[in-house]
Amino acid sequence: EIVLTQSPATLSLSPGERATLSCRASQSVGSFLAWYQQKPGQAPRVLIYDASNRATGIPARFSGSGSGTDFTLTVSSLEPEDFAVYYCQQRFNWPLTFGGGTQVEV
Amino acid sequence: EVQLVESGGGLVQPGGSLRLSCAASGFTFSPFWMHWVRQGPGKGLVWVSHINGDGSSIGYSDPVKGRFTISRDNAKNTVYLQMNSLRAEDTAVYYCGRAGSGGAFDIWGQGTMVTVSS
């Protein structure tokens, strides 16, 4: 099973600041990595798929990069609605796995 | 509107069974791979099971293998998760998700809560 390790666990920032979230895989997942945002009481929402492709309707302030074992989600300038938990997920092989999440808080 | 709506959750005793349903609308259901993902209270997301468009490819996570069964009815635009021999550690919100662009889960249901307790 591929283990995804997200860091930091919590990121304390202010609106307007840049957020940089990391996801490290225990073995290469190629570019088969997605990022999701989840707010309390809501289902997750996909932000990025295949490491760097923004999903439909996702603002340009969200960007993804990386390949192999190291990936980054960047939010260029945090808006109030961006404070949430973010998860990475790999689809390189079975079982599909998620990282433990990074909470972005004010 | 493209949406998934889960139902069937509830309170069940250890060893009991439940069947979850996920009804799709607003898109052509049959070509899409569908998944179940769960989230324990205060915990992260955990993939549970998948089924491809015609049901010929099915998979499970190890903790549920042999106890859970996924199926779909393309005529009813619905995917199911039959859960048997439930344990306390199966307590979670269960989401169904559609695998869309790049295989990511692009559509999620609102989730249905399953509580296993005596």
Side-chain angles (χ1 to χ4, degrees):
Chain A
E1 171 174 320
I2 295 176
V3 176
L4 299 179
T5 302
Q6 291 189 241
S7 61
T10 304
L11 196 53
S12 298
L13 295 168
S14 299
E17 290 192 296
R18 183 184 188 89
T20 303
L21 288 66
S22 174
C23 177
R24 177 163 290 178
S26 59
Q27 65 187 76
S28 176
V29 299
S31 293
F32 297 132
L33 190 107
W35 289 93
Y36 301 86
Q37 176 193 70
Q38 187 179 33
K39 298 178 181 179
Q42 295 184 18
R45 172 177 74 142
V46 63
L47 302 173
I48 302 289
Y49 65 92
D50 288 348
S52 60
N53 297 288
R54 262 191 310 278
T56 302
I58 301 304
R61 64 181 182 272
F62 291 93
S63 64
S65 63
S67 66
T69 60
D70 290 296
F71 300 86
T72 301
L73 175 70
T74 301
V75 189
S76 59
S77 178
L78 285 164
E79 296 289 339
E81 62 268 26
D82 299 336
F83 291 91
V85 180
Y86 293 82
Y87 295 96
C88 56
Q89 175 247 324
Q90 65 82 22
R91 67 177 185 94
F92 181 76
N93 66 11
W94 304 104
L96 305 185
T97 51
F98 289 86
T102 290
Q103 177 154 17
V104 178
E105 63 176 26
V106 178
Chain B
E1 179 189 4
V2 174
Q3 64 176 355
L4 299 171
V5 178
E6 299 100 336
S7 60
L11 174 63
V12 62
Q13 292 188 340
S17 298
L18 277 178
R19 188 176 84 152
L20 306 184
S21 299
C22 169
S25 60
F27 65 96
T28 303
F29 178 69
S30 57
F32 287 95
W33 290 48
M34 298 297 296
H35 298 254
W36 288 95
V37 174
R38 69 185 181 185
Q39 187 169 35
K43 300 291 184 60
L45 301 168
V46 178
W47 174 79
V48 173
S49 181
H50 87 271
I51 185 167
N52 72 340
D54 64 6
S56 60
S57 173
I58 284 175
Y60 303 96
S61 62
D62 282 347
V64 309
K65 202 172 294 183
R67 300 187 298 123
F68 290 12
T69 302
I70 192 171
S71 62
R72 67 190 293 161
D73 184 337
N74 287 339
K76 295 183 177 179
N77 292 340
T78 301
V79 60
Y80 305 97
L81 188 68
Q82 177 67 43
M83 304 187 296
N84 298 332
S85 303
L86 282 161
R87 306 166 180 167
E89 54 264 36
D90 296 319
T91 294
V93 174
Y94 284 73
Y95 295 101
C96 63
R98 184 185 84 168
S101 300
F105 304 133
D106 63 346
I107 305 296
W108 295 71
Q110 83 287 356
T112 187
M113 183 70 206
V114 171
T115 302
V116 184
S117 175
S118 54

